[in-house]
């Protein structure tokens, strides 16, 4: 009886994820740039559409009843990972690249709203729906680890939509770092109680500082120094992630020992 119920919930969760994802991606093809008026109007209208989608996603996400695993680590332990949210800014400072643009405040604020609503939708879809789906589907000793990797790969593949209208090399690079980012976000979600809120915060600051803020202030080129600098931050973050993983595993062993 329980297995039949779980299979039904798994099916419902997957269907919900897929149609919400298609709904969200379809929004990206709406011709907001053709809307007449000041340049901040298009992203502002896009933000309003995304807000409507976010509300819909929240309502649908509440209906899904697959149990969500949560760790008990102190959320502050994940704060060092936030350092990679500043990697581009630190690169520009280290190589003494000065701001060269004047910020268009209305446009910047509108695009920030787009970023916030977009990343919140993505976190709810991939970390609050798809990740628990794989956790319930994949059985065995390493179910959590495999669920992190598979859900992160799906998150990375979602960005393949950017091949439409963008340089292939830049999209491949984006898919590479979003795979790593997905692992970080899924791990944060798993290791902490209500970790989804920490994952949303991390994802927002990553996109806002590394992309929105930097692009609004600076002009720079992606070269070998840029790639190596960011890879260094990625390796450091990965090593720290292993530390959090070890603590999580040790905590699970202690809980199992107490139960026995």
């Amino acid at each position: 009886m329980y297995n039949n119920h779980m299979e039904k919930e798994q099916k419902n969760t997957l269907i919900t994820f897929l149609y919400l994802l298609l709904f969200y991606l379809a929004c990206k093809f709406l011709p907001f740039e053709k809307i007449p008026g000041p340049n901040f109007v298009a992203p502002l209208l896009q933000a309003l559409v995304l807000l409507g989608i976010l509300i819909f996603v929240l309502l649908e996400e509440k209906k899904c009843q697959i149990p969500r695993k949560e760790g008990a680590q102190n959320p502050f332990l994940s704060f060092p990972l936030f350092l990679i949210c500043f990697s581009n800014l630190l690169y520009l400072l280290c190589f003494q690249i000065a701001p060269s643009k004047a910020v268009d405040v209305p446009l910047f604020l509108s695009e920030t709203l787009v970023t916030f609503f977009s990343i919140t939708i993505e976190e709810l879809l991939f970390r609050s729906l798809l990740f628990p789906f794989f956790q319930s589907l994949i059985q065995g000793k390493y179910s959590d680890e495999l669920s992190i990797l598979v859900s992160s790969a799906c998150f990375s593949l979602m960005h393949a939509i950017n091949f439409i209208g963008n340089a292939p090399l830049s999209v491949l690079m984006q898919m590479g770092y979003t795979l790593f980012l997905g692992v970080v976000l899924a791990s944060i979600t798993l290791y902490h109680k209500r970790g989804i809120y920490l994952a949303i915060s991390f994802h927002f600051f990553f996109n806002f500082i590394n992309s929105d803020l930097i692009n609004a202030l600076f002009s720079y080129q992606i070269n070998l120094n840029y790639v190596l600098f960011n890879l260094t931050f990625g390796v450091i973050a990965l090593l720290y992630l292993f530390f959090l993983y070890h603590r999580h595993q040790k905590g699970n062993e202690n809980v199992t020992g107490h139960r026995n």
Side-chain angles (χ1 to χ4, degrees):
M1 185 71 178
Y2 173 79
N3 288 337
N4 290 337
H5 174 73
M6 180 56 69
E7 288 177 3
K8 182 180 178 181
E9 287 303 322
Q10 288 173 343
K11 181 179 178 181
N12 290 340
T13 299
L14 182 59
I15 292 173
T16 300
F17 166 79
L18 289 174
Y19 85 74
L20 289 176
L21 178 63
L22 290 174
F23 193 32
Y24 167 62
L25 293 178
C27 172
K28 293 181 175 290
F29 289 99
L30 294 177
F32 293 106
E33 69 280 356
K34 295 183 179 180
I35 297 173
N39 58 358
F40 70 87
V41 171
L44 183 60
L45 289 175
Q46 184 180 8
L48 291 174
V49 171
L50 287 170
L51 175 59
I53 295 174
L54 173 58
I55 293 171
F56 185 51
V57 170
L58 282 167
L59 293 173
E60 291 297 293
E61 185 260 347
K62 294 293 183 184
K63 298 177 184 178
C64 295
Q65 298 179 7
I66 288 183
R68 290 165 172 79
K69 297 180 183 178
E70 292 183 334
Q73 292 196 48
N74 190 324
F76 289 103
L77 286 173
S78 283
F79 278 20
L81 289 172
F82 276 71
L83 184 63
I84 63 175
C85 297
F86 298 87
S87 60
N88 282 354
L89 182 61
L90 291 172
Y91 165 78
L92 295 169
L93 292 175
C94 287
F95 286 87
Q96 299 180 343
I97 301 174
S100 58
K101 298 180 182 178
V103 178
D104 185 332
V105 176
L107 177 62
F108 178 72
L109 293 177
S110 297
E111 291 178 340
T112 300
L113 286 175
V114 171
T115 296
F116 177 74
F117 293 141
S118 295
I119 67 94
T120 305
I121 291 170
E122 291 177 8
E123 287 309 301
L124 290 173
L125 290 176
F126 285 92
R127 257 59 72 176
S128 195
L129 284 176
L130 192 64
F131 180 45
F133 165 76
F134 282 123
Q135 284 180 300
S136 68
L137 185 67
I138 301 172
Q139 302 298 318
K141 182 179 179 181
Y142 298 105
S143 61
D144 287 342
E145 292 84 352
L146 290 173
S147 298
I148 288 174
L149 292 174
V150 177
S151 63
S152 299
C154 293
F155 178 63
S156 174
L157 286 172
M158 178 193 70
H159 293 82
I161 194 175
N162 293 325
F163 277 115
I164 302 173
N166 294 287
L169 182 58
S170 66
V171 178
L172 287 173
M173 289 179 61
Q174 184 186 34
M175 291 178 67
Y177 77 71
T178 51
L179 175 63
F180 171 73
L181 183 63
V183 171
V184 173
L185 293 167
S187 299
I188 288 174
T189 304
L190 176 64
Y191 297 159
H192 308 293
K193 189 173 183 180
R194 297 181 180 176
I196 184 66
Y197 300 112
L198 192 60
I200 290 172
S201 301
F202 183 95
H203 196 169
F204 171 71
F205 281 112
F206 184 89
N207 283 25
F208 174 72
I209 298 172
N210 273 341
S211 181
D212 294 354
L213 184 62
I214 295 299
N215 291 334
L217 291 171
F218 296 88
S219 295
Y220 66 99
Q221 292 182 338
I222 296 177
N223 53 30
L224 182 60
N225 287 335
Y226 173 87
V227 173
L228 292 176
F229 192 90
N230 279 278
L231 279 176
T232 301
F233 270 82
V235 170
I236 293 171
L238 190 61
L239 291 173
Y240 188 75
L241 203 59
F242 277 121
F243 163 72
L244 293 179
Y245 171 76
H246 176 72
R247 283 183 59 91
H248 177 72
Q249 291 296 100
K250 190 174 180 180
N252 286 345
E253 291 172 1
N254 291 337
V255 170
T256 304
H258 286 311
R259 287 176 180 173
N260 293 336

